Amino acid sequence: MERQTFIAHSDINSCYASIELVFRPDLRDRPVAVGGDEEARHGIVLAKNLIAKRCGVRTGNSLVEARRACPGLITLPPNYPLYQKYSMMAREIYSEYSYAVEPFGLDESWFDLTGVASSEGQAVAAVKGIMARISKELGVTVSVGLSWNKIYAKLGSDYRKPSGLTVINKENYREVVYPLPASDLLYVGPATTAKLSRYGIRTIGELARDENAELLSKALGKVGLMLIVFAAGRDVTPVADSGGSGVIKSVGNSSTFPRDLSCEEDVKMAFYVLAESVSSRMREGGFECGTVQISLRGSDLFGFERQRRLDRPTNVTSELVPAAMGLLRGGYSWQRPLRSVGIRGADLVPMDGPRQLSLLYDEGRRLRAMRLEDAVDHVRDRFGYFALQRALLLKDRRLTGLDAKKENVIHPVSYTFGP
């Protein structure tokens, strides 16, 4: 007899806003949003409470748009250390019920209940106990999905909000999951949704058909086959035990700049500002990245991402930026200016690991660049970020007058994957 698997996915409802309201009970009956600095054009809604949502406020709106939809909206600046503390406290509670807890951003986590529950009823009882403890001990609520795989568990946590518990099992998944829009599936973003729609695939049930394999393999490569597996509930990826802390898989930074970026030189300056933060944080963590990713958001707020594998891992700004610019030139046609950009180093490896040398590269020059950036880190640690600046960044202080490392914005997962 096959052993039953019980995987839960928990999502703190309106995470940032809910945590803020724990400390501001006088605002609980008012529409509230957590957002950035409007004067620096970082004024984007990161989270909102249910009252604001009912007024039409959406995650990712500019604060101007949010106030237009909800004139009485109260906005609060983000407090990331507080949110990280709450995230850790929630994971500590999950860890009391599960041997494997896998964070997915600050506000979400998977945890495996297979070891403590021998039946669905026991798993449901454990989840209800967790939900009650989160509410009582932390003062916030969670929505939870329970299923036999991680993908359906996440769909369940999104299915009934706020404070809902949705069980998706092998008896009801066709009824619950298959009618949902394909865009609800993890990793199906706007661009993939548009491609699927062109092939007449609009629901998860339509995506789950094996006869789509050849078509989606040609259209999306391996990702197309992966999405079929996800949609059909055949994913067997285990919950990765992080030991109570998030496993660092990438280091990135993004920003909305004080003015639109209208040419390659503007973006190059923006990439240098952000890449210096990313490379410095990688060096602090003892990592190098094997892949560079960029994200671009136009002035119409339409965005997309591109990535490429590097010839060799790096944590040097002067190597990250040329790779990022190559992605920009290959993927952006400048039909509109850019409002914000981001850069990320992924596929991290230890920086002190073995390295394959190559006759095609000037290893001495690379070593000097690494030592130079390390020296710059030490100077900035002592005297501040602006003590040393690249000459390029002095051309437009309005655009580059940002300490990207200090002002790094941590987006909740919902910011990336939905409203």
Side-chain angles (χ1 to χ4, degrees):
M1 182 177 178
E2 183 181 359
R3 185 188 183 192
Q4 286 184 289
T5 301
F6 301 106
I7 294 176
H9 181 272
S10 178
D11 183 356
I12 300 176
N13 297 307
S14 305
C15 179
Y16 294 1
S18 295
I19 294 171
E20 292 289 347
L21 292 178
V22 172
F23 297 89
R24 293 292 303 274
D26 56 307
L27 299 180
R28 287 179 181 172
D29 296 326
R30 307 278 298 279
V32 174
V34 175
D37 181 354
E38 285 182 279
E39 292 185 1
R41 294 214 319 174
H42 303 160
I44 293 176
V45 174
L46 300 174
K48 74 282 178 190
N49 67 352
L50 185 59
I51 299 173
K53 181 178 180 180
R54 287 170 177 166
C55 291
V57 178
R58 297 288 179 265
T59 302
N61 283 162
S62 69
L63 294 185
V64 173
E65 293 171 327
R67 290 199 180 95
R68 189 178 299 130
C70 184
L73 183 69
I74 296 171
T75 60
L76 302 173
N79 183 349
Y80 301 119
L82 179 63
Y83 309 151
Q84 290 169 326
K85 178 180 178 181
Y86 262 69
S87 178
M88 287 299 299
M89 289 191 295
R91 292 176 205 162
E92 287 172 3
I93 292 176
Y94 305 147
S95 296
E96 293 183 29
Y97 295 78
S98 172
Y99 62 88
V101 177
E102 180 181 349
F104 190 55
L106 292 181
D107 51 343
E108 303 184 31
S109 292
W110 282 283
F111 48 94
D112 194 330
L113 295 172
T114 304
V116 298
S118 59
S119 68
E120 184 178 291
Q122 290 182 357
V124 168
V127 168
K128 288 182 176 178
I130 290 170
M131 295 174 72
R133 285 191 59 188
I134 293 286
S135 177
K136 181 179 180 181
E137 297 177 25
L138 303 187
V140 298
T141 62
V142 293
S143 295
V144 181
L146 180 67
S147 190
W148 75 90
N149 67 79
K150 290 168 66 176
I151 303 302
Y152 279 8
K154 175 160 173 56
L155 281 171
S157 70
D158 293 333
Y159 193 79
R160 188 178 292 115
K161 288 187 173 183
S163 307
L165 167 58
T166 301
V167 178
I168 299 176
N169 55 37
K170 294 184 179 179
E171 285 71 49
N172 71 1
Y173 74 95
R174 290 183 176 85
E175 175 186 346
V176 175
V177 173
Y178 278 13
L180 296 175
S183 58
D184 282 3
L185 196 68
L186 188 61
Y187 303 125
V188 177
T192 303
T193 298
K195 287 183 181 179
L196 294 175
S197 182
R198 287 199 291 269
Y199 295 112
I201 299 173
R202 295 179 174 83
T203 68
I204 293 178
E206 292 168 344
L207 178 57
R209 297 170 183 165
D210 285 327
E211 53 264 35
N212 292 324
E214 184 176 355
L215 173 67
L216 294 185
S217 179
K218 291 180 179 178
L220 300 173
K222 293 181 180 179
V223 172
L225 301 178
M226 177 189 76
L227 292 180
I228 293 174
V229 170
F230 284 1
R234 298 200 297 266
D235 177 54
V236 294
T237 306
V239 176
D241 181 20
S242 67
S245 61
V247 177
I248 299 176
K249 298 181 180 179
S250 64
V251 175
N253 206 343
S254 63
S255 183
T256 300
F257 288 84
R259 64 170 177 82
D260 286 344
L261 311 178
S262 57
C263 62
E264 281 195 12
E265 186 173 68
D266 285 350
V267 178
K268 187 176 182 180
M269 286 190 284
F271 275 153
Y272 266 111
V273 169
L274 298 172
E276 285 189 337
S277 159
V278 171
S279 59
S280 177
R281 288 161 54 205
M282 282 196 286
R283 289 191 292 273
E284 286 180 357
F287 295 114
E288 293 178 316
C289 66
T291 297
V292 64
Q293 303 171 340
I294 65 169
S295 60
L296 308 173
R297 188 182 293 267
S299 56
D300 59 355
L301 298 185
F302 176 78
F304 67 94
E305 296 184 351
R306 294 290 185 272
Q307 69 176 37
R308 57 157 288 195
R309 187 79 180 173
L310 299 172
D311 294 333
R312 54 186 180 171
T314 187
N315 56 21
V316 178
T317 302
S318 57
E319 294 181 350
L320 290 176
V321 172
M325 292 300 295
L327 289 169
L328 172 78
R329 296 184 184 111
Y332 198 66
S333 59
W334 288 106
Q335 295 177 345
R336 62 187 68 83
L338 292 170
R339 178 182 174 88
S340 65
V341 300
I343 187 168
R344 177 173 298 276
D347 297 329
L348 302 183
V349 296
M351 62 184 291
D352 57 355
R355 182 187 304 277
Q356 178 65 51
L357 300 181
S358 172
L359 296 176
L360 301 178
Y361 296 100
D362 185 341
E363 294 293 342
R365 181 178 179 181
R366 184 170 195 262
L367 183 59
R368 289 192 295 273
M370 293 172 65
R371 288 173 175 170
L372 176 61
E373 294 201 10
D374 189 51
V376 170
D377 286 344
H378 286 298
V379 171
R380 287 175 172 171
D381 286 343
R382 290 192 62 188
F383 303 108
Y385 174 77
F386 296 102
L388 279 177
Q389 293 278 279
R390 294 175 187 268
L392 174 68
L393 303 187
L394 301 178
K395 295 184 66 174
D396 189 336
R397 298 302 296 151
R398 183 177 176 222
L399 188 64
T400 63
L402 166 72
D403 182 349
K405 184 178 178 183
K406 181 178 179 181
E407 300 180 30
N408 182 37
V409 174
I410 304 172
H411 294 298
V413 169
S414 57
Y415 181 91
T416 307
F417 292 98

